[in-house]
Amino acid sequence: MYKQGEKVLIADGFKTKTEHESSGTDEYLRSGSGAVLKFKDGGSGGKTMEDLVDTIVRQCINLFHGIQRDIGLILYSDRVQVHIQGADEETPSYNTSGVSTTPSELETKVLNVIDEVYDPAKVPGCDLTEHVLNSGDHYPSSFASDVAAVGALDRWVTREMTADFGRLMQYAGRNIEFENSERDAVWCGTESRPCVDCTAGILGSTPNSRCSDRVMSTRLSTGIRYLQKMVRDKWAGVKLKVLEAWDEPYEGHENGDNAIDSLHYEGRAIKVTTSDDDATKLSNVASLAICSGIDFVEHKGDHLYMAVKKQDWRERRMVHFPTADLLVAETPAEDEEQYTLPDSYSHDEKSTMHIFDSDHKEERKLSNNGKIKHFKSPSSRYFRLSPSLVECYQAIITRENKARQETDPFIGLTVERGYLTNTDQEVILDTDPRYNRHVTGRAMQIHYNNTYGDLDTTVYTPMRLAKRAVHKCGPNFASKQFSIAVGLYDTSVYIEMRSTFDAWVESEDLLPPGKTEAEFKAEMEKWLQRSVEGRVIDPDNPERACRTSVQPERQSCDFKHVHPEPVRRRRSTGNDPDSCQPQTDTIFCKSTQQHRKTEVDKILWEQITAKHLGCGEDDIKEALEICFGTCGTCQTGNVWWDKQEHCNNLLHWLPFDFYDIEDQVAFYVRENKDLKQAACNGHCIDKAPLFSLVAPTVERLYRPDPKRSVQEPLYSATNNPLPVYDLMNRLYAMHARGKVRVYVKDSAELSTLRGSLQMSMIFNKDVSEVDFYVQFPENVEQVTSTLENLLLEWTKTSCPDHAREYVPPFTIQELPPGHTKRSPEFALREEMLDKQKNWEKNWLKSHTLL
């Protein structure tokens, strides 16, 4: 290639007929198959015309050989003409004019450059001890034969099969020795075609001039390029010697040299030795061949037999499936109509719908439960398949078996139809012509597998499967820039990767009474949105999630607090020595006993009994006494768990409710006074009768020394923590209906509201939407991240038996300006409450002498 300052120009190229006649331009330029190149004035950088020839050959030779044409060159003193030889010109053309270099010397130079082109710049590093083959051994040993390893012969490729033969490559380099045993025969291929001698090099690149022993598939040619270089690097003066590659009939061998089903007839097999015929080198050559990427290698004693898989002739491409990688293949050209994709897809779209070869691979697993045979037509060797479709199939199976116990039946899926050829799809009469796109490899018709009759078909219905497919496959497809199409049929479900969402039913008789196809589509589209946004409650371990979960409930006399399983287990084993050790006989607990009794008997109980008690009076009194009357340190251990139990019972049983709070519930952190007015503009917990009853006691201050004015909290987090506020906020959240609002300053405040948010967004099925307002715009991103993490945790750990099906839609936005500005009435009320709570502090501030 040329660097800056070394500039090449096209001095002459295509000309019209008139221009051609007046200038005398040759036929190659006139046809557009040639060009004249030269250095820009002063831009050669010391390069010569022969250097330009070198570059032209390196850049063009493989392109010309790839279309089965040869190169033509004319070397002038100040320019070089390069052209593509015509289809009837069976050899390269080398000419010179006005220079000392002869055509023969130019040919030698070109052949030397071609040898360099066929020498890879870098070869793989090989450990010759990793795969050692002795006579009779083969690799991979896990396969019984070459066919098992690389697939059987599809059909013979002959020179008359223009497209298929054109996909095979002719090895043009002279760095391999070719035996070319057919060269002395009268005819090769057909009786009208003479054989050629290619031992010294190729005759030409047209189909008729190609040499059979130099012809092979692209994949085999790539491996041989590496191998010949490694052989020459290992043994000085020794070359790789090819005994036979592609095979065809010739004089005296009307069926060729090999068995009728040999891979040689497809150009996928080769026999090699070394140029010195030293059989002792073959074990090392075999190791090098394996290292070079040859798929099957067998040590035959006096030579090596090697074979490769079918591969797209243009390039090597691997497609990754969950548990396997598949090599992109190609179909025989005469079968292409069977695999042609609909014209509605663009060229770019078609280029991603790869073809694979299933021969001797049908049992290969593409996922934990999916094999190649599950996704393809049994009548076709080749198939298309998107990895996302396999991931979809596996995701549904994995989800359905999450909670499976050992004695439960395995819930599998049967693919009624996966990939179909065009003929397959035309002859299957019961496919739905409106929607089926099986030829793309992006569609499948599936149903629950009930082979043994042990599946409850009233539970595992096509409707369930359709919903499961949208949930588990929709997000996967969306991550690949696709949507999902789902069709509900009598016994099965159709799934397809599509550019836009669609859903339909075979008949509205499959839907619940009164439900229409349009409603089904709308419901599936909403379910897709929830799934893509990660809002579906889908625990990783449903059994564990439900074992550690307790169903939240609203206020009711039937309520009875149940500790979650981890607490029950810890209560039975005693206190954890590494945790906080509860103390009930502290000085604080002893000195505040009468104060707590007063709160229970004189304040709370009198207010409670002033109303009609719908629940048992004795039960309420007991719960009150243990909740507010018990004293103990630590927010863990039996004392704390007893408080949780009886406080929760009390809050559920008290005849003080939360009013009708549809579309009005709002949460905020009570310490943030700036957000209180915005939150309580509608309804917040501060306005609830239950809050008005218990809040004064929860925040009660007492005087440790009656003779002094110093006050301390009766229920402090250190001396006597109380779970009432947390439990009450959770209960308040369970009573919400419709839209819920949340006001926070930052992610820390959001985390403080964790319990309320979990009740609202995970358990309360009457919440339709949650709007988050962030006090400062710079905190919106961190609040969003924290909420997403919480939702990810909850959706993966919540019990489906207790929770909603999905998290309600939510928004996160900056708090509009002016919403934290306090009204005069609000400011006055807050000031009065503050004075009531902090009178002693204010009194001390006003008496400076103290």
Side-chain angles (χ1 to χ4, degrees):
M1 295 297 290
Y2 291 93
K3 303 175 183 178
Q4 185 175 1
E6 302 168 0
K7 298 181 180 178
V8 177
L9 299 176
I10 297 179
D12 204 359
F14 170 76
K15 293 199 183 311
T16 63
K17 180 179 180 181
T18 303
E19 291 172 324
H20 163 66
E21 291 173 348
S22 63
S23 64
T25 304
D26 68 22
E27 296 294 329
Y28 297 109
L29 298 185
R30 181 184 172 190
S31 67
S33 61
V36 177
L37 305 179
K38 63 181 290 187
F39 291 114
K40 184 178 180 181
D41 292 343
S44 67
K47 301 286 186 179
T48 67
M49 287 301 109
E50 290 194 0
D51 293 325
L52 184 55
V53 168
D54 185 295
T55 299
I56 290 171
V57 174
R58 292 182 189 278
Q59 298 302 314
C60 300
I61 197 66
N62 280 332
L63 297 175
F64 290 7
H65 288 174
I67 59 172
Q68 301 180 83
R69 298 292 183 88
D70 288 300
I71 193 169
L73 289 168
I74 305 176
L75 175 63
Y76 299 94
S77 61
D78 61 346
R79 64 194 187 278
V80 177
Q81 177 175 317
V82 57
H83 63 260
I84 303 171
Q85 290 283 87
D88 57 347
E89 297 175 300
E90 296 189 351
T91 62
S93 172
Y94 305 106
N95 287 292
T96 62
S97 177
V99 294
S100 59
T101 304
T102 66
S104 176
E105 291 172 334
L106 177 61
E107 179 181 10
T108 299
K109 175 177 179 56
V110 171
L111 292 177
N112 288 336
V113 174
I114 291 175
D115 288 342
E116 293 178 15
V117 169
Y118 275 75
D119 249 3
K122 188 176 181 181
V123 297
C126 298
D127 180 0
L128 296 182
T129 64
E130 184 176 359
H131 301 289
V132 178
L133 299 188
N134 296 312
S135 181
D137 294 340
H138 69 265
Y139 169 88
S141 59
S142 56
F143 293 99
S145 66
D146 57 341
V147 169
V150 303
L153 172 77
D154 190 323
R155 67 200 65 187
W156 282 29
V157 175
T158 67
R159 295 178 190 268
E160 289 69 35
M161 299 166 67
T162 306
D164 289 311
F165 188 65
R167 292 171 178 174
L168 299 178
M169 307 296 292
Q170 179 179 228
Y171 193 95
R174 298 173 300 172
N175 38 33
I176 294 178
E177 186 176 304
F178 289 88
E179 187 173 67
N180 191 203
S181 59
E182 302 93 339
R183 65 183 181 276
D184 296 326
V186 174
W187 59 268
C188 286
T190 62
E191 293 184 5
S192 62
R193 179 187 174 277
C195 299
V196 300
D197 184 352
C198 62
T199 53
I202 66 170
L203 173 66
S205 299
T206 62
N208 202 47
S209 61
R210 282 178 157 192
C211 173
S212 62
D213 279 352
R214 286 180 176 265
V215 173
M216 61 195 75
S217 72
T218 303
R219 185 173 181 83
L220 186 54
S221 174
T222 300
I224 291 300
R225 284 193 187 195
Y226 285 126
L227 180 58
Q228 63 81 19
K229 180 72 164 63
M230 290 189 280
V231 167
R232 288 190 295 114
D233 288 347
K234 184 167 180 61
W235 297 289
V238 176
K239 291 183 179 181
L240 185 70
K241 181 178 180 179
V242 172
L243 305 176
E244 184 151 45
W246 175 71
D247 197 13
E248 64 179 339
Y250 63 99
E251 180 193 19
H253 298 267
E254 284 70 15
N255 292 318
D257 289 325
N258 298 280
I260 196 169
D261 58 351
S262 170
L263 296 174
H264 284 286
Y265 296 110
E266 254 183 341
R268 292 199 288 129
I270 194 168
K271 296 171 185 173
V272 303
T273 183
T274 55
S275 59
D276 60 357
D277 292 320
D278 183 358
T280 63
K281 291 185 173 73
L282 291 181
S283 287
N284 280 336
V285 176
S287 298
L288 295 174
I290 295 168
C291 181
S292 69
I294 304 294
D295 298 307
F296 181 85
V297 180
E298 185 173 7
H299 195 317
K300 293 286 192 177
D302 61 348
H303 71 276
L304 300 180
Y305 169 81
M306 302 185 292
V308 295
K309 300 172 182 176
K310 279 181 125 358
Q311 175 187 305
D312 187 323
W313 69 277
R314 289 171 288 264
E315 62 177 326
R316 177 184 182 275
R317 286 175 291 176
M318 300 297 293
V319 177
H320 304 292
F321 289 81
T323 61
D325 293 337
L326 295 187
L327 179 67
V328 176
E330 62 190 2
T331 65
E334 63 185 55
D335 291 347
E336 283 184 349
E337 286 188 6
Q338 292 287 326
Y339 305 94
T340 300
L341 291 163
D343 293 335
S344 56
Y345 294 100
S346 69
H347 173 75
D348 288 344
E349 287 177 307
K350 291 179 181 179
S351 68
T352 64
M353 300 178 190
H354 304 299
I355 282 280
F356 305 104
D357 181 11
S358 72
D359 191 71
H360 283 77
K361 302 184 188 73
E362 294 211 349
E363 292 295 326
R364 189 173 184 182
K365 280 191 171 185
L366 299 179
S367 69
N368 290 340
N369 300 103
K371 297 179 179 180
I372 287 177
K373 68 179 183 180
H374 295 152
F375 300 98
K376 62 172 287 292
S377 167
S379 66
S380 169
R381 170 171 178 165
Y382 305 97
F383 66 100
R384 285 189 168 90
L385 183 61
S386 168
S388 294
L389 204 67
V390 178
E391 291 164 1
C392 165
Y393 170 89
Q394 187 61 52
I396 296 173
I397 292 178
T398 301
R399 175 60 187 87
E400 291 292 20
N401 289 279
K402 267 186 179 182
R404 177 174 170 264
Q405 303 297 313
E406 277 191 34
T407 56
D408 295 337
F410 179 80
I411 303 165
L413 293 178
T414 296
V415 182
E416 292 183 10
R417 296 191 185 101
Y419 174 76
L420 299 177
T421 65
N422 289 315
T423 300
D424 288 334
Q425 186 141 326
E426 288 170 4
V427 301
I428 297 175
L429 300 179
D430 61 338
T431 58
D432 189 333
R434 297 173 299 166
Y435 304 112
N436 284 349
R437 298 290 183 272
H438 291 284
V439 296
T440 65
R442 293 175 176 174
M444 60 182 174
Q445 193 100 11
I446 60 176
H447 65 256
Y448 286 115
N449 186 346
N450 195 24
T451 304
Y452 302 105
D454 52 0
L455 209 61
D456 187 345
T457 55
T458 63
V459 175
Y460 294 96
T461 63
M463 178 65 82
R464 175 192 175 104
L465 183 54
K467 194 172 182 180
R468 194 69 83 197
V470 171
H471 171 213
K472 301 308 297 184
C473 307
N476 182 312
F477 294 175
S479 70
K480 312 296 192 306
Q481 310 304 311
F482 287 94
S483 189
I484 188 171
V486 56
L488 179 65
Y489 293 84
D490 184 34
T491 60
S492 63
V493 172
Y494 174 84
I495 301 168
E496 182 189 340
M497 300 169 64
R498 284 212 184 164
S499 57
T500 57
F501 171 79
D502 200 3
W504 62 91
V505 294
E506 182 181 27
S507 167
E508 289 189 348
D509 292 340
L510 300 174
L511 300 175
K515 195 168 189 176
T516 66
E517 183 178 58
E519 290 172 330
F520 168 77
K521 180 177 179 179
E523 180 183 329
M524 289 296 104
E525 189 164 20
K526 287 181 180 178
W527 194 244
L528 173 62
Q529 181 181 358
R530 296 161 188 156
S531 302
V532 171
E533 293 173 353
R535 294 192 288 117
V536 176
I537 310 297
D538 186 23
D540 294 330
N541 189 324
E543 186 276 329
R544 181 173 59 194
C546 292
R547 188 178 70 246
T548 58
S549 176
V550 176
Q551 174 72 65
E553 297 180 32
R554 293 174 177 167
Q555 285 183 314
S556 167
C557 293
D558 296 326
F559 177 81
K560 186 69 174 176
H561 177 87
V562 176
H563 288 298
E565 190 269 343
V567 173
R568 297 197 301 271
R569 185 174 63 250
R570 287 185 62 186
R571 294 197 79 162
S572 65
T573 58
N575 290 329
D576 182 354
D578 296 327
S579 299
C580 178
Q581 301 301 308
Q583 302 294 324
T584 59
D585 57 351
T586 63
I587 296 175
F588 177 89
C589 288
K590 292 175 180 178
S591 64
T592 58
Q593 182 175 0
Q594 186 57 46
H595 294 281
R596 297 195 305 276
K597 186 173 183 350
T598 299
E599 290 296 326
V600 171
D601 295 339
K602 301 296 184 182
I603 300 175
L604 290 173
W605 186 244
E606 288 182 4
Q607 295 182 69
I608 291 170
T609 53
K611 297 188 70 170
H612 172 70
L613 299 181
C615 304
E617 181 175 328
D618 292 341
D619 291 336
I620 294 176
K621 184 65 181 294
E622 180 187 9
L624 175 64
E625 289 175 343
I626 297 178
C627 175
F628 286 96
T630 301
C631 181
T633 58
C634 301
Q635 295 185 33
T636 185
N638 289 329
V639 176
W640 174 256
W641 294 325
D642 284 341
K643 284 185 183 181
Q644 282 187 320
E645 177 181 351
H646 289 88
C647 289
N648 206 18
N649 286 338
L650 177 67
L651 296 174
H652 279 79
W653 295 340
L654 286 175
F656 293 77
D657 57 19
F658 295 102
Y659 291 142
D660 181 4
I661 48 177
E662 184 171 4
D663 292 331
Q664 296 186 63
V665 164
F667 295 99
Y668 75 103
V669 175
R670 299 194 68 248
E671 289 76 14
N672 191 334
K673 299 292 180 61
D674 291 334
L675 289 178
K676 181 175 181 179
Q677 182 174 1
C680 296
N681 187 42
H683 191 286
C684 63
I685 196 167
D686 305 56
K687 297 183 177 181
L690 184 59
F691 179 86
S692 299
L693 171 70
V694 302
T697 294
V698 174
E699 299 179 5
R700 185 72 67 201
L701 301 175
Y702 82 103
R703 292 183 181 183
D705 185 350
K707 297 179 180 180
R708 298 178 61 87
S709 59
V710 177
Q711 292 182 313
E712 293 181 5
L714 186 58
Y715 300 99
S716 69
T718 302
N719 294 317
N720 188 20
L722 198 62
V724 169
Y725 271 166
D726 179 60
L727 294 171
M728 184 166 51
N729 273 295
R730 290 170 179 263
L731 184 57
Y732 177 58
M734 285 302 297
H735 280 263
R737 288 185 291 116
K739 182 183 291 189
V740 169
R741 294 170 293 122
V742 181
Y743 296 83
V744 293
K745 178 180 70 175
D746 52 25
S747 59
E749 287 197 353
L750 187 79
S751 297
T752 301
L753 297 173
R754 176 189 176 104
S756 303
L757 297 179
Q758 187 177 20
M759 295 301 112
S760 302
M761 304 184 78
I762 302 297
F763 293 106
N764 188 340
K765 299 178 182 180
D766 290 332
V767 172
S768 60
E769 181 181 349
V770 182
D771 294 329
F772 290 84
Y773 296 95
V774 184
Q775 189 172 358
F776 302 113
E778 61 270 21
N779 292 338
V780 170
E781 186 175 344
Q782 62 165 260
V783 167
T784 301
S785 177
T786 299
L787 180 62
E788 288 175 348
N789 288 335
L790 287 173
L791 293 178
L792 179 62
E793 174 192 342
W794 293 334
T795 55
K796 297 301 182 184
T797 58
S798 298
C799 175
D801 296 342
H802 302 159
R804 305 163 53 104
E805 275 194 304
Y806 56 89
V807 174
F810 60 90
T811 63
I812 304 175
Q813 56 195 295
E814 177 189 350
L815 184 67
H819 279 236
T820 58
K821 186 177 181 181
R822 303 184 184 187
S823 67
E825 297 81 3
F826 180 85
L828 178 61
R829 183 168 62 251
E830 289 299 300
E831 183 179 353
M832 291 174 65
L833 288 172
D834 185 67
K835 285 182 178 180
Q836 181 181 353
K837 293 178 183 178
N838 300 289
W839 69 269
E840 180 183 24
K841 184 188 298 182
N842 296 331
W843 183 84
L844 287 171
K845 286 182 179 179
S846 65
H847 292 72
T848 56
L849 293 178
L850 296 178

